[in-house]
Amino acid sequence: KLPTEKRTEILGLLDKSEKKTENALKKFSKSDLQKRGFDHPIIGPLNLFNWLWVLALHEHSHLVALREKTAKF
C-alpha cells in the first residue's frame, strides 16, 4: 500500500485544489459561467459552467486511477 504520509500528501493537494476552485467560483453566478466559454480541442464549444462538469469528471478519473494503482501496493 501507499505509505500513509504520501497518501495524506496527495489527499491534501486534492483538497487544496478543490477549495481553491470553490473560492474562485463564489464570485460568479451560474448564468455568468454560461455566458463565457471556449473551444475545447476534443469536445468543441464549451461554456465555463459545463467545463466545470468536465473538470469534475476528469478529477474523478484521476482518483479512480490512484485507487487502482495504490491497491496493488
Side-chain angles (χ1 to χ4, degrees):
K1 291 221 174 208
L2 192 65
T4 302
E5 61 274 357
K6 199 65 168 165
R7 187 177 299 167
T8 302
E9 177 186 350
I10 291 168
L11 291 174
L13 289 170
L14 289 169
D15 187 52
K16 182 178 177 181
S17 176
E18 182 181 344
K19 286 181 180 163
K20 193 173 181 180
T21 302
E22 284 178 18
N23 286 334
L25 291 173
K26 287 179 183 178
K27 302 171 190 172
F28 303 100
S29 69
K30 180 179 177 181
S31 75
D32 289 335
L33 296 172
Q34 290 174 323
K35 290 176 188 172
R36 295 195 172 262
F38 61 96
D39 286 327
H40 187 279
I42 296 171
I43 300 171
L46 195 62
N47 68 42
L48 297 178
F49 181 78
N50 288 332
W51 174 76
L52 291 171
W53 284 105
V54 172
L55 178 65
L57 289 170
H58 180 81
E59 291 299 317
H60 177 73
S61 71
H62 283 290
L63 289 172
V64 169
L66 276 170
R67 282 190 198 114
E68 290 173 356
K69 289 183 190 284
T70 57
K72 296 176 186 177
F73 290 104

